[in-house]
């Protein structure tokens, strides 16, 4: 079997502003909640911050040259809200807009199509201080204002947009588990309200994209819960189908259906947020695609409980990445199948997928990350199976283009296909980068 993908399949790689840009206090940029959080003792591994990161702000020409050498067809990156509007509202920082405008022009000149994510967690600190961040619907509205500014400036050249990346990570991980910025444990009701307010911000921003960008291809990026059947037969398939819906009921299903299913929601996630029917209509406005970020998920099996399933605990010896995440490529296939079952033929992009590995530069200057090559091969084969069976997968963005600031884990974990020496900022294309380059060139799994 050749594992060939459709001719118009989009191959790319992804990054995020706070993880790579650096230049945290240059050219008018305001502070973000991650600037504040990472300076708090004990919050981030080794006291690391994103103040320099990969210095991408000053090295865009070098980084785009590497993208071109790899043969990327598309590059997904995020815009830093505090670089555009230092206070999150009001005055626009033209130097920040100019940076992204030049980046877009340089990408297009290199025949690399941009996919812009408007929000990848770096909320302006001022909005956290004034309104409590995403605890307030005022921030939903201000996010739409920010989206309006960015899309007016870049929408003449950029057609692919994602509103928000991984709502769970700045709501549940921040306010329930106290592991991400802005931090601080809150009651379930407030956590659920932050999720709703982020969904509302997505819908309001989507309206701005539609208005400002002719021919826009717009959606959201979700870190997908991806339960899969331990065996490919009933009743395991039924259990996995139920699990996929329930585990994605809080964010993905309201986006697609405009409904909170109260009984199941409250049983699994706690109190419903405060909302109006008009807000649900805004949240569920049709998208052009769903973006899925996928890394790991355990299988499920049938169970005699109200949900009808239980997670299978994988053994300690099960293959894992350097994050300690189980390597489960089967899950990504089933998620595409279940998406088609529940939502029909809405296009899907894998907007992140990759693995952390303990990479090191060898004496000959190479990085022999064969483990990452194996990870990519297994996941791409699983995706190909779904495409071959009629699932409308349209593209794949590897995470990540380069090693970067891995949030609360600082610089201790490396996801890139380009190695970054943080002392010298030297970039080295890893063996996995060469492998992925060949895949993009021939449009099939190797």
């Amino acid at each position: 079997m050749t594992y060939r993908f459709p001719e118009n399949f989009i191959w790319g790689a992804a990054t995020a502003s706070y993880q790579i840009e650096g230049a945290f206090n240059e050219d008018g940029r305001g502070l973000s909640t991650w600037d504040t959080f990472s300076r708090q003792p004990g919050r981030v591994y080794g006291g690391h911050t994103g103040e320099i990161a990969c210095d991408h702000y000053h090295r865009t020409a070098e980084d785009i040259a590497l993208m071109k050498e790899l043969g990327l067809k598309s590059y997904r990156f995020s815009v830093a809200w505090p670089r555009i509007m230092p206070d999150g509202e009001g005055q626009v920082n033209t130097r920040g807009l100019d940076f992204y405008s030049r980046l877009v022009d340089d990408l297009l000149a290199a025949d690399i199509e941009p996919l812009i994510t408007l929000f990848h967690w770096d909320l302006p600190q001022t909005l956290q201080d004034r309104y409590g961040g995403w605890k307030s619907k005022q921030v939903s509205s201000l996010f739409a204002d920010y989206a309006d500014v960015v899309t007016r400036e870049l929408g003449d050249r950029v057609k692919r947009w994602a509103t928000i990346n991984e709502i769970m990570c700045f709501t549940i991980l921040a306010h329930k588990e106290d592991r991400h910025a802005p931090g601080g444990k809150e009651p379930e009701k407030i956590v659920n309200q932050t999720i709703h307010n982020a969904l509302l911000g997505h819908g309001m921003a989507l309206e701005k994209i539609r208005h400002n960008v002719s021919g826009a291809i717009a959606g959201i990026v979700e870190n997908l819960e991806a339960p899969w059947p331990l065996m490919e037969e009933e009743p395991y398939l039924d259990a996995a189908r139920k699990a996929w819906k329930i585990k994605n009921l809080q964010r993905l299903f309201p986006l697609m259906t405009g409904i909170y299913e109260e009984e199941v929601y409250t049983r699994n996630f706690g109190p419903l947020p405060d909302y109006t029917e008009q807000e649900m209509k805004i949240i569920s406005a049709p998208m052009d695609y769903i973006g899925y970020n996928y890394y790991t998920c355990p299988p499920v099996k049938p169970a005699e409980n109200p949900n009808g399933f239980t997670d299978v605990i994988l053994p300690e010896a099960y293959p894992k990445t350097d994050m300690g995440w189980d390597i489960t490529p089967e899950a990504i296939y089933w998620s595409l199948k279940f998406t088609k079952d529940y939502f029909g033929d809405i296009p899907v992009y894998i907007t992140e997928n990759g693995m952390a590995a303990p990479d090191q530069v060898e004496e000959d200057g190479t990085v022999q990350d064969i483990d990452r090559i194996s990870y990519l091969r297994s996941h791409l084969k699983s995706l190909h199976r779904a495409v071959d069976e009629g699932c409308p997968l349209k593209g794949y963005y590897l995470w990540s283009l380069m090693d970067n600031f891995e949030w609360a884990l600082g610089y201790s974990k490396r996801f890139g296909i380009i190695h970054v020496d943080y002392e010298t900022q030297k970039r080295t294309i890893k063996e996995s980068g060469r492998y992925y380059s060949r895949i993009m060139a021939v449009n099939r799994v190797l």
Side-chain angles (χ1 to χ4, degrees):
M1 192 169 184
T2 60
Y3 300 103
R4 185 172 299 280
F5 282 80
E7 285 306 312
N8 58 352
F9 195 80
I10 294 175
W11 295 101
T15 64
S17 48
Y18 190 73
Q19 293 182 270
I20 69 165
E21 284 181 3
F24 80 105
N25 61 354
E26 293 185 37
D27 293 338
R29 179 188 180 278
L31 291 179
S32 75
T33 52
W34 267 98
D35 290 301
T36 303
F37 186 81
S38 61
R39 291 175 183 173
Q40 296 172 9
R43 286 297 202 175
V44 175
Y45 173 89
H48 299 167
T49 74
E51 294 184 1
I52 299 174
C54 305
D55 198 29
H56 174 72
Y57 190 80
H58 300 113
R59 298 172 184 267
T60 53
E62 177 185 358
D63 291 340
I64 291 172
L66 287 167
M67 295 180 216
K68 190 171 179 64
E69 181 179 346
L70 287 169
L72 291 192
K73 305 295 189 292
S74 184
Y75 172 52
R76 176 181 170 235
F77 65 95
S78 73
V79 172
W81 190 346
R83 204 178 287 286
I84 304 300
M85 304 173 84
D87 291 328
E89 58 183 329
Q91 186 173 359
V92 174
N93 177 30
T94 56
R95 289 175 293 177
L97 275 177
D98 289 346
F99 167 72
Y100 294 109
S101 186
R102 290 192 303 271
L103 176 58
V104 165
D105 286 344
D106 291 346
L107 287 167
L108 293 173
D111 294 321
I112 300 168
E113 185 178 17
L115 164 54
I116 291 181
T117 306
L118 287 166
F119 182 70
H120 198 131
W121 313 351
D122 41 3
L123 184 76
Q125 181 63 43
T126 308
L127 298 187
Q128 188 66 35
D129 297 339
R130 286 179 183 164
Y131 306 108
W134 290 102
K135 288 182 274 187
S136 168
K137 291 180 182 178
Q138 181 67 24
V139 169
S140 311
S141 179
L142 291 173
F143 176 62
D145 293 343
Y146 153 69
D148 185 48
V149 170
V150 177
T151 53
R152 283 181 185 274
E153 176 69 22
L154 303 178
D156 60 329
R157 288 156 287 162
V158 179
K159 301 305 176 189
R160 297 185 183 275
W161 295 86
T163 52
I164 295 177
N165 181 82
E166 295 187 348
I167 288 173
M168 186 195 80
C169 292
F170 58 90
T171 57
I172 294 171
L173 290 189
H175 296 302
K176 184 176 181 178
E177 300 183 14
D178 195 26
R179 292 197 284 131
H180 273 199
K185 289 194 175 184
E186 301 283 357
E188 275 190 325
K189 172 82 172 182
I190 292 177
V191 175
N192 293 346
Q193 192 66 52
T194 63
I195 294 169
H196 173 79
N197 295 347
L199 291 171
L200 180 59
H202 151 79
M204 297 173 79
L206 191 63
E207 290 180 358
K208 299 297 184 182
I209 296 170
R210 295 272 184 250
H211 184 267
N212 294 340
V213 183
S214 176
I217 302 169
I220 196 169
V221 170
E222 259 294 283
N223 53 332
L224 184 71
E225 296 287 346
W228 47 286
L230 185 62
M231 300 185 199
E232 290 192 24
E233 63 177 3
E234 300 293 357
Y236 291 89
L237 292 170
D238 183 57
R241 197 174 291 109
K242 290 175 181 175
W244 196 87
K245 180 177 182 180
I246 290 172
K247 287 174 178 282
N248 290 296
L249 194 76
Q250 197 174 29
R251 303 183 304 277
L252 182 58
F253 274 78
L255 285 164
M256 299 302 295
T257 67
I259 296 169
Y260 288 125
E261 297 186 28
E262 184 171 2
E263 181 187 348
V264 185
Y265 187 108
T266 54
R267 184 170 70 235
N268 288 279
F269 306 108
L272 284 171
D274 296 327
Y275 67 94
T276 67
E277 290 306 312
Q278 180 59 30
E279 288 172 357
M280 299 311 292
K281 289 179 181 177
I282 293 170
I283 285 169
S284 59
M287 297 183 287
D288 301 302
Y289 72 91
I290 311 171
Y292 287 155
N293 293 355
Y294 173 73
Y295 294 95
T296 184
C297 196
V300 296
K301 62 184 180 182
E304 294 294 329
N305 61 39
N307 286 334
F309 70 89
T310 187
D311 290 345
V312 175
I313 306 303
L314 295 172
E316 187 61 34
Y318 203 87
K320 293 174 174 59
T321 71
D322 198 36
M323 295 286 283
W325 296 345
D326 296 312
I327 298 174
T328 53
E330 302 91 340
I332 205 168
Y333 160 80
W334 284 106
S335 280
L336 292 177
K337 296 287 281 186
F338 294 149
T339 298
K340 189 175 174 69
D341 287 349
Y342 281 112
F343 306 136
D345 283 329
I346 184 169
V348 174
Y349 292 83
I350 301 302
T351 36
E352 289 182 23
N353 176 238
M355 74 172 285
D359 306 320
Q360 60 182 6
V361 180
E362 305 293 338
E363 288 186 7
D364 63 0
T366 64
V367 179
Q368 297 294 323
D369 56 338
I370 311 304
D371 44 2
R372 187 174 287 108
I373 290 175
S374 178
Y375 179 98
L376 292 174
R377 182 183 289 119
S378 64
H379 284 73
L380 290 174
K381 283 183 177 181
S382 195
L383 287 173
H384 183 273
R385 179 186 175 193
V387 172
D388 202 43
E389 294 177 13
C391 294
L393 179 69
K394 303 300 183 182
Y396 176 90
Y397 291 81
L398 184 150
W399 185 271
S400 175
L401 176 68
M402 64 182 80
D403 298 333
N404 53 51
F405 177 81
E406 187 46 46
W407 307 111
L409 295 172
Y411 299 101
S412 68
K413 304 297 179 185
R414 294 180 178 270
F415 276 87
I417 53 171
I418 296 174
H419 181 275
V420 178
D421 181 323
Y422 297 113
E423 294 295 321
T424 65
Q425 293 296 339
K426 180 182 179 182
R427 275 80 158 133
T428 303
I429 296 176
K430 302 177 187 179
E431 197 65 26
S432 63
R434 304 294 180 193
Y435 172 75
Y436 189 54
S437 180
R438 286 296 302 149
I439 285 175
M440 291 187 285
V442 300
N443 200 36
R444 65 182 181 89
V445 185
L446 298 172

